[in-house]
Amino acid sequence: TKYQFIDVKKEEKVSIITMNRPKASNALCDRLIHEIVTQLKKCDRNPETNAIVLTGLHKVFAAGADVKEMEPRTFQGNFSTNFSSEWDEIAKTRKPLIAAVNGFALGGGCEIAMMCDIIIAGENSKFGHPEIKLGTFSGAGGTQRLTRAVGKAKAMEMLLTGELISAREAWQSGLVSRIVPDHDVVDIAIKIAAKIAANSQPMAMMAKECINQAYESTLQEGLEFERRMFQSTFAFYDREEGMKSFINKRDPEFKDA
Ligand code: HXC
């Protein structure tokens, strides 16, 4: 596939997608979103990919939806094309997906970071939802995912003022899993992805499904879902290998099967 706005590379079982539209601060035009979604679907289909890192440029992860492309839109057009629905395909990725954020993650940029499973933040990164200053508000999960991530008061403050928060505030409020030096963000994200990739691929995918279920159901329903999924792990070679290797005091050799 020929991409215009993303670069892709592979380090063993980790696929790395870099948003690369420097002239527009990685503004997320339709084409850039489509390229990300296309590549994520490819990663899901590729048995040799166990985890994925999504990153941007040094100064900006992504500055949000492309305001110049968006400005002439109409409600009728948004409705008939179901504008922003393709964005949600990012959240449907089945393999573990890590956002490596340097610089600004604003509006839709923050929203796609929140569609990832883990966010690693550079010490100078900034997160925010400035859409309110454009006379609109977040439209790709910001009002929902930010509220679940940081709680109501902070989400209200961020979404209604449009002010940005620092990496430290993002970490304190649980939006990101860790803060690392800016120049190490991508390397550390790849290292974490490699740790995940060294485990059994179907187990990591199932665990991700169970964790996401925590947002979709009551506690009892979630626990039932988890229990059935856990029971099903006993159908896998990797479960037997994992337990046998522990008992025999050796490293496991998973087959992702
Ligand atoms: C289109 C953008 C853009 C955007 C930056 N650019 N952000 N173009 N859409 N969201 C363009 C600028 O117009 C400029 O183009 C070039 O990128 C460089 O940007 P500068 O602003 O000159 O750079 P800098 O001073 O470094 O500031 C970086 C920035 C700032 C802090 C990221 O650009 C910024 O605040 N951007 C907008 C943030 C925003 O409002 N995001 C929300 C978008 S709405 P020229 O041609 O002048 O060189 C949204 C909705 C999501 O996300 C829901 C969708 C479904």
Side-chain angles (χ1 to χ4, degrees):
T1 319
K2 251 201 157 325
Y3 293 124
Q4 192 179 348
F5 296 132
I6 62 170
D7 300 326
V8 298
K9 64 173 180 167
K10 189 94 189 291
E11 285 191 18
E12 298 186 8
K13 288 182 168 184
V14 177
S15 287
I16 301 136
I17 302 175
T18 305
M19 296 177 279
N20 189 4
R21 196 188 173 206
K23 281 188 188 142
S25 295
N26 276 354
L28 300 159
C29 57
D30 289 347
R31 169 134 193 184
L32 175 47
I33 291 292
H34 184 70
E35 289 184 358
I36 294 168
V37 168
T38 302
Q39 184 58 25
L40 288 172
K41 287 189 171 154
K42 259 181 125 170
C43 291
D44 264 355
R45 284 194 302 268
N46 183 354
E48 296 304 314
T49 292
N50 281 17
I52 309 157
V53 170
L54 175 65
T55 192
L57 303 165
H58 295 294
K59 245 190 70 186
V60 61
F61 176 75
D66 187 325
V67 179
K68 292 166 194 168
E69 185 183 71
M70 205 166 37
E71 189 276 331
R73 284 182 183 275
T74 61
F75 171 69
Q76 288 86 340
N78 291 344
F79 179 76
S80 52
T81 59
N82 206 11
F83 176 45
S84 104
S85 59
E86 188 170 26
W87 293 57
D88 226 43
E89 297 294 316
I90 296 170
K92 291 180 186 148
T93 306
R94 297 182 70 213
K95 304 241 169 102
L97 175 58
I98 301 179
V101 176
N102 261 318
F104 295 100
L106 304 185
C110 188
E111 289 175 309
I112 63 170
M114 292 191 293
M115 290 178 198
C116 298
D117 304 312
I118 299 171
I119 303 178
I120 306 298
E123 56 201 342
N124 291 303
S125 59
K126 292 215 178 325
F127 298 80
H129 290 270
E131 293 97 324
I132 193 102
K133 297 181 180 177
L134 301 171
T136 178
F137 53 86
S138 286
T143 66
Q144 305 303 303
R145 291 197 176 93
L146 187 69
T147 308
R148 282 166 162 82
V150 306
K152 176 176 160 179
K154 197 156 193 79
M156 283 283 186
E157 188 175 330
M158 288 174 69
L159 287 157
L160 303 188
T161 66
E163 295 295 305
L164 313 187
I165 61 168
S166 64
R168 179 146 293 275
E169 280 181 278
W171 176 72
Q172 281 164 344
S173 53
L175 179 63
V176 310
S177 73
R178 44 171 122 170
I179 303 174
V180 303
D182 290 331
H183 55 270
D184 294 336
V185 172
V186 176
D187 283 349
I188 290 173
I190 292 171
K191 282 210 177 85
I192 296 168
K195 278 187 190 172
I196 295 170
N199 294 326
S200 165
Q201 179 193 95
M203 293 309 116
M205 291 172 73
M206 278 193 181
K208 167 172 171 165
E209 246 179 84
C210 286
I211 296 162
N212 282 333
Q213 188 65 24
Y215 290 100
E216 305 292 347
S217 60
T218 65
L219 179 60
Q220 283 310 318
E221 285 165 349
L223 290 170
E224 295 262 345
F225 183 82
E226 179 197 67
R227 184 179 306 120
R228 194 68 75 234
M229 295 288 266
F230 169 73
Q231 290 167 350
S232 78
T233 66
F234 286 70
F236 285 82
Y237 171 89
D238 284 350
R239 193 282 314 169
E240 194 181 337
E241 165 64 10
M243 293 191 180
K244 282 200 168 127
S245 69
F246 173 81
I247 292 165
N248 295 321
K249 302 185 192 300
R250 59 171 176 81
D251 289 334
E253 282 180 47
F254 293 126
K255 287 188 179 168
D256 294 338

